[in-house]
Amino acid sequence: MQWQHICTREDLVAGSGVAALINGEQVALFYLPDQSPPLYAIGNHDPIGGANVLSRGIVGDINGELVVASPLYKQHFSLLTGVCLEQDDVSVPVWEVKLDGDKVLLRPLPAALNRTGT
């Protein structure tokens, strides 16, 4: 799996999410410059609410885990694993993401590390 250029740092919003389209799939990118790493990428589709809205969710921390709260029904999805904290049998895809200068690069995690389901 090769890295793909998806946007630039200028396209990101610090402390928040933005949506991007890669290979026909919506991705929610979160830029948290005070965290290490500062970038996170999960599927934008909320499998519980049934809409592409996770990039609009509120980013937070639950017991030391970075999460985004869906704006629909407020379930929390881990920014590291994509797993829903309230329903651990539900998850969204996760991508590796990094900065290369001002370029934001993305690639899917290997299937063995990336579980999705509804």
Side-chain angles (χ1 to χ4, degrees), residues 12-63:
L12 303 174
V13 178
S16 188
V18 297
L21 189 64
I22 187 164
N23 299 330
E25 190 167 354
Q26 286 195 27
V27 177
L29 295 170
F30 297 92
Y31 181 44
L32 308 174
D34 295 334
Q35 297 294 322
S36 182
L39 287 173
Y40 300 86
I42 63 172
N44 194 37
H45 185 78
D46 176 350
I48 296 169
N52 292 313
V53 296
L54 292 180
S55 63
R56 298 180 187 175
I58 296 172
V59 177
D61 176 308
I62 295 181
N63 298 324

Side-chain angles (χ1 to χ4, degrees), residues 48 76 81-91 115-118:
I48 296 169
H76 299 91
T81 67
V83 173
C84 176
L85 273 59
E86 290 79 16
Q87 292 180 245
D88 65 0
D89 62 330
V90 175
S91 63
R115 74 175 181 99
T116 58
T118 54

